[in-house]
Coordinates of all heavy atoms in Angstrom, one line a residue:
T25 N 0.8 -1.2 0.0 CA 0.0 0.0 0.0 C 0.8 1.3 0.0 O 0.3 2.4 0.3 CB -1.0 0.0 1.2 OG1 -0.2 -0.2 2.4 CG2 -2.0 -1.1 1.1
L26 N 2.1 1.1 -0.3 CA 3.0 2.3 -0.6 C 3.0 3.3 0.6 O 3.5 3.0 1.7 CB 2.6 2.9 -1.9 CG 2.6 1.9 -3.1 CD1 2.1 2.6 -4.4 CD2 4.0 1.3 -3.4
T27 N 2.6 4.5 0.3 CA 2.6 5.5 1.3 C 1.9 5.1 2.6 O 2.2 5.6 3.7 CB 2.0 6.8 0.8 OG1 2.7 7.2 -0.4 CG2 2.1 8.0 1.7
A28 N 0.8 4.3 2.5 CA 0.0 4.0 3.7 C 0.6 2.8 4.4 O 0.2 2.5 5.5 CB -1.4 3.6 3.2
A29 N 1.6 2.1 3.8 CA 2.0 0.7 4.4 C 2.4 0.8 5.8 O 2.0 -0.1 6.6 CB 3.1 0.2 3.5
G30 N 3.2 1.7 6.2 CA 3.7 1.8 7.6 C 2.6 2.0 8.6 O 2.6 1.4 9.7
A31 N 1.6 2.8 8.3 CA 0.5 3.0 9.2 C -0.5 1.8 9.2 O -0.9 1.4 10.3 CB -0.3 4.2 8.7
V32 N -0.7 1.2 8.0 CA -1.6 0.0 8.0 C -1.0 -1.1 8.8 O -1.7 -1.8 9.6 CB -1.8 -0.5 6.5 CG1 -2.4 -1.8 6.5 CG2 -2.6 0.6 5.7
E33 N 0.3 -1.3 8.6 CA 1.0 -2.4 9.3 C 1.2 -2.1 10.8 O 1.2 -3.1 11.6 CB 2.3 -2.7 8.6 CG 2.0 -3.4 7.3 CD 3.2 -3.3 6.3 OE1 4.3 -3.0 6.7 OE2 2.9 -3.5 5.1
A34 N 1.2 -0.9 11.2 CA 1.2 -0.5 12.6 C -0.1 -0.9 13.3 O -0.2 -1.4 14.4 CB 1.5 1.0 12.8
V35 N -1.2 -0.6 12.6 CA -2.5 -1.0 13.1 C -2.6 -2.5 13.3 O -3.1 -3.1 14.3 CB -3.7 -0.5 12.1 CG1 -5.0 -1.2 12.5 CG2 -3.8 1.0 12.2
F36 N -2.2 -3.3 12.3 CA -2.2 -4.7 12.4 C -1.3 -5.3 13.4 O -1.6 -6.3 14.1 CB -1.9 -5.4 11.0 CG -2.9 -5.2 9.9 CD1 -2.6 -5.1 8.6 CD2 -4.3 -5.0 10.3 CE1 -3.6 -4.9 7.6 CE2 -5.2 -4.9 9.3 CZ -4.9 -4.8 8.0
S37 N -0.2 -4.6 13.7 CA 0.8 -5.0 14.7 C 0.1 -4.9 16.1 O 0.3 -5.7 17.0 CB 2.0 -4.2 14.7 OG 2.8 -4.4 13.5
I38 N -0.6 -3.8 16.3 CA -1.2 -3.6 17.6 C -2.4 -4.6 17.8 O -2.6 -5.1 18.8 CB -1.7 -2.1 17.7 CG1 -0.5 -1.2 17.9 CG2 -2.7 -1.9 18.9 CD1 -0.9 0.3 17.8
Q39 N -3.1 -4.8 16.7 CA -4.2 -5.8 16.7 C -3.7 -7.2 17.0 O -4.3 -8.0 17.7 CB -4.9 -5.8 15.4 CG -6.3 -6.5 15.4 CD -7.3 -5.8 16.2 OE1 -7.1 -4.8 16.8 NE2 -8.5 -6.5 16.3
T40 N -2.5 -7.5 16.6 CA -1.8 -8.8 16.9 C -1.7 -8.9 18.4 O -2.0 -10.0 19.0 CB -0.5 -8.9 16.2 OG1 -0.6 -8.9 14.8 CG2 0.3 -10.1 16.6
M41 N -1.2 -7.9 19.1 CA -1.0 -7.9 20.5 C -2.4 -8.0 21.3 O -2.5 -8.7 22.3 CB -0.2 -6.7 21.0 CG 1.2 -6.8 20.6 SD 2.2 -5.4 21.3 CE 1.6 -4.0 20.4
L42 N -3.3 -7.3 20.8 CA -4.7 -7.3 21.4 C -5.4 -8.6 21.3 O -6.0 -9.0 22.3 CB -5.5 -6.2 20.7 CG -5.2 -4.7 21.1 CD1 -6.1 -3.8 20.2 CD2 -5.5 -4.4 22.5
T43 N -5.2 -9.3 20.2 CA -5.9 -10.6 20.0 C -5.1 -11.8 20.3 O -5.7 -12.9 20.4 CB -6.4 -10.6 18.6 OG1 -5.3 -10.6 17.7 CG2 -7.3 -9.4 18.2
G44 N -3.8 -11.7 20.4 CA -3.0 -12.9 20.5 C -3.0 -13.8 19.3 O -2.8 -15.0 19.4
T45 N -3.2 -13.2 18.1 CA -3.3 -13.9 16.9 C -2.2 -13.3 15.9 O -2.2 -12.1 15.7 CB -4.6 -13.8 16.2 OG1 -5.6 -14.4 17.1 CG2 -4.7 -14.6 14.9
L46 N -1.3 -14.2 15.4 CA -0.3 -13.8 14.5 C -0.9 -14.0 13.0 O -1.1 -15.2 12.7 CB 1.0 -14.5 14.7 CG 1.5 -14.6 16.1 CD1 2.9 -15.3 16.1 CD2 1.6 -13.3 16.7
P47 N -1.0 -13.0 12.2 CA -1.5 -13.2 10.8 C -0.5 -14.1 10.1 O 0.7 -14.0 10.3 CB -1.6 -11.8 10.3 CG -1.6 -10.9 11.4 CD -0.8 -11.6 12.5
P48 N -1.0 -14.8 9.1 CA 0.0 -15.6 8.3 C 0.6 -14.9 7.2 O 0.2 -13.7 6.9 CB -1.0 -16.7 7.7 CG -2.3 -16.0 7.5 CD -2.4 -15.1 8.7
T49 N 1.6 -15.4 6.6 CA 2.2 -15.0 5.3 C 1.7 -16.1 4.3 O 2.2 -17.2 4.4 CB 3.7 -14.9 5.3 OG1 4.1 -14.0 6.3 CG2 4.2 -14.5 4.0
I50 N 0.7 -15.7 3.5 CA 0.2 -16.7 2.6 C 1.2 -16.9 1.4 O 2.1 -16.1 1.2 CB -1.2 -16.3 2.1 CG1 -1.2 -15.1 1.2 CG2 -2.2 -16.2 3.3 CD1 -2.5 -14.8 0.5
N51 N 1.0 -17.9 0.6 CA 1.8 -18.3 -0.5 C 3.2 -18.7 -0.1 O 4.1 -18.7 -1.0 CB 1.8 -17.1 -1.6 CG 0.5 -16.7 -2.0 OD1 -0.4 -17.5 -2.2 ND2 0.3 -15.4 -2.2
Y52 N 3.4 -19.0 1.1 CA 4.7 -19.4 1.6 C 4.8 -20.9 1.4 O 4.7 -21.7 2.4 CB 4.9 -19.0 3.1 CG 6.3 -19.2 3.6 CD1 7.3 -18.3 3.2 CD2 6.7 -20.2 4.4 CE1 8.6 -18.4 3.6 CE2 8.0 -20.3 4.9 CZ 8.9 -19.4 4.5 OH 10.2 -19.5 4.9
L53 N 5.0 -21.3 0.2 CA 5.1 -22.8 -0.2 C 6.5 -23.2 -0.6 O 6.7 -24.4 -0.6 CB 4.1 -23.0 -1.3 CG 2.6 -22.6 -1.0 CD1 1.7 -22.8 -2.2 CD2 2.1 -23.5 0.2
N54 N 7.3 -22.3 -1.0 CA 8.6 -22.6 -1.5 C 9.6 -21.7 -0.8 O 10.2 -20.8 -1.5 CB 8.7 -22.5 -3.0 CG 10.0 -23.0 -3.6 OD1 10.7 -23.7 -3.0 ND2 10.2 -22.6 -4.9
P55 N 9.9 -21.9 0.4 CA 10.8 -21.0 1.2 C 12.2 -20.8 0.5 O 12.7 -21.8 0.0 CB 10.9 -21.7 2.6 CG 9.8 -22.6 2.7 CD 9.5 -23.1 1.3
D56 N 12.7 -19.6 0.6 CA 14.0 -19.3 0.1 C 15.0 -19.9 1.2 O 15.0 -19.5 2.3 CB 14.2 -17.8 0.0 CG 15.5 -17.4 -0.6 OD1 16.5 -18.2 -0.6 OD2 15.6 -16.3 -1.2
P57 N 15.8 -20.9 0.8 CA 16.7 -21.5 1.7 C 17.8 -20.5 2.3 O 18.4 -20.8 3.3 CB 17.4 -22.6 0.9 CG 17.2 -22.2 -0.5 CD 15.9 -21.4 -0.6
A58 N 18.0 -19.4 1.6 CA 18.9 -18.4 2.0 C 18.3 -17.4 3.1 O 19.0 -16.6 3.6 CB 19.5 -17.6 0.9
I59 N 17.0 -17.5 3.3 CA 16.3 -16.7 4.2 C 15.7 -17.6 5.3 O 14.6 -18.1 5.1 CB 15.2 -15.8 3.6 CG1 15.9 -14.9 2.5 CG2 14.5 -15.0 4.6 CD1 14.9 -14.0 1.8

């Protein structure tokens, strides 16, 4: 979301702490072995 990304992700970060739920990273089917 470009210019909005840092604010959007801050909201989701706080919501993570409030709910005790970690959002997934979808499409994570072929992990980069270097990461």
Side-chain angles (χ1 to χ4, degrees):
T25 55
L26 304 174
T27 305
V32 170
E33 289 158 17
V35 167
F36 290 151
S37 295
I38 292 172
Q39 191 70 1
T40 293
M41 292 187 289
L42 286 171
T43 62
T45 301
L46 311 185
T49 300
I50 66 169
N51 303 323
Y52 192 72
L53 303 174
N54 187 16
D56 186 337
I59 298 179

